[in-house]
Amino acid sequence: MASRSHKVDNAPFTVWNSAFEDRMSLLAKLEESHRAVRKKFLLHRLIVVASLPQQHADRKDLGVHYEELNQRLQRYYQGDTITGLLLLYPTCMLHVIESSSEVLVSLLQDLRDMQEQPHCVLIEAPRVLVMSHDLPSRLFQQWSYKVLNVQARVGGALSRDGPEEEEVEDTETLVSTTLSMLLKLGNHLLKATKGSKMPPGSVLDEVPEMIVPQYILVQLLSRGDLLSPQQYLQAYHTPLHILMDSERTWPPPEHLRCEF
């Protein structure tokens, strides 16, 4: 008997494949969205303060040091963009850095190494003001530094240590004031430089009242409850050595004797 050829209708399979591809496309989009959200939460912000040695007159050297350090870190941690602002006052500095945790730890290690140098001419007594994790967005769009020739104005008063009538405030209030002013300054810089080639330094010259006053930083540096880079790294980036209950024996092992 001659065999018959049967014509197979591929239409149902075509419809199924199309629906499957649509579902796979939607899955890919969802995964891409999750990756984007997850990437946002890899952003952290470090804020440090430090005194500047008075015997070293050229404060630009510190700005150049961080420019070169940032370039090295970005070559090593490719894809980890570094943004922030370094303010160089006559007697101290305020540094805001936004990047991955690996980059921020490297910056803290650099601060620690500089502090341990016997005759460091760039900084003195650096302190960690705050470390913020899992940020939804950046406060700054690029990294830059600014040498401030005068202190920021507060109530029209300008002096080396701040207004004489200013009351001494607790550390929590000083930190809160600093963070609030930095957030306002960052938002202002974002709006002023958006769509223009105006450098952040030029914007700062127009709004000196938005810059954190030097006397606040001087007060913060005089407080003993802020951690140094070495203390911070030891507290938060040192492996824990936990002694398990099973490891507790008495008498100590050196006093145990095996008798047969």
Side-chain angles (χ1 to χ4, degrees):
M1 178 182 295
S3 60
R4 296 181 180 179
S5 60
H6 296 277
K7 185 177 180 181
V8 179
D9 186 5
N10 293 325
F13 296 99
T14 303
V15 173
W16 186 87
N17 287 335
S18 176
F20 179 75
E21 290 177 357
D22 290 341
R23 285 196 292 270
M24 289 300 295
S25 177
L26 178 60
L27 177 61
K29 290 180 180 179
L30 288 173
E31 289 179 344
E32 183 179 356
S33 175
H34 287 315
R35 282 195 296 269
V37 172
R38 201 162 55 242
K39 187 175 181 180
K40 286 183 179 180
F41 290 113
L42 294 177
L43 178 65
H44 313 285
R45 182 183 298 128
L46 170 67
I47 304 178
V48 296
V49 294
S51 298
L52 298 181
Q54 295 305 297
Q55 67 272 16
H56 189 71
D58 196 352
R59 290 170 285 163
K60 289 184 178 179
D61 289 348
L62 186 58
V64 172
H65 169 80
Y66 276 111
E67 278 185 336
E68 296 174 349
L69 177 62
N70 291 346
Q71 292 174 2
R72 293 197 303 270
L73 290 175
Q74 288 194 318
R75 285 195 299 265
Y76 188 80
Y77 298 104
Q78 296 184 7
D80 293 352
T81 304
I82 300 175
T83 58
L85 179 64
L86 170 62
L87 297 177
L88 299 171
Y89 297 78
T91 64
C92 57
M93 77 156 195
L94 175 61
H95 197 182
V96 185
I97 318 102
E98 300 169 329
S99 191
S100 65
S101 60
E102 291 82 4
V103 169
L104 299 187
V105 168
S106 297
L107 287 163
L108 285 171
Q109 291 171 343
D110 179 73
L111 279 171
R112 177 199 61 194
D113 295 342
M114 284 196 292
Q115 187 180 11
E116 291 177 351
Q117 295 177 9
H119 303 290
C120 182
V121 296
L122 293 179
I123 62 167
E124 290 179 346
R127 293 292 181 268
V128 177
L129 194 62
V130 67
M131 174 77 87
S132 303
H133 298 284
D134 299 343
L135 302 175
S137 61
R138 295 180 183 270
L139 187 60
F140 302 93
Q141 299 305 303
Q142 58 182 325
W143 185 91
S144 61
Y145 75 92
K146 174 69 174 177
V147 177
L148 303 174
N149 296 322
V150 294
Q151 297 164 252
R153 298 178 182 273
V154 176
L158 279 176
S159 67
R160 184 173 181 82
D161 298 322
E164 294 182 359
E165 67 275 7
E166 189 73 24
E167 295 183 1
V168 177
E169 298 175 327
D170 59 87
T171 304
E172 184 177 352
T173 301
L174 293 172
V175 172
S176 177
T177 301
T178 302
L179 294 180
S180 177
M181 295 191 70
L182 283 175
L183 288 173
K184 292 179 181 178
L185 179 62
N187 289 327
H188 179 78
L189 288 174
L190 180 62
K191 294 178 181 178
T193 58
K194 187 176 182 179
S196 69
K197 296 183 179 180
M198 181 181 297
S202 301
V203 179
L204 293 175
D205 291 334
E206 299 176 356
V207 288
E209 71 281 356
M210 299 187 73
I211 301 174
V212 180
Q214 179 176 253
Y215 75 88
I216 290 183
L217 305 181
V218 171
Q219 289 190 45
L220 284 170
L221 288 167
S222 66
R223 307 300 169 89
D225 44 357
L226 293 179
L227 298 180
S228 68
Q230 171 62 26
Q231 291 171 329
Y232 186 91
L233 290 170
Q234 186 174 359
Y236 297 102
H237 294 277
T238 301
L240 295 176
H241 298 284
I242 302 176
L243 183 63
M244 305 298 293
D245 288 340
S246 58
E247 297 175 349
R248 300 177 185 272
T249 59
W250 184 260
E254 59 268 22
H255 298 295
L256 293 177
R257 292 185 304 174
C258 296
E259 296 183 356
F260 298 95

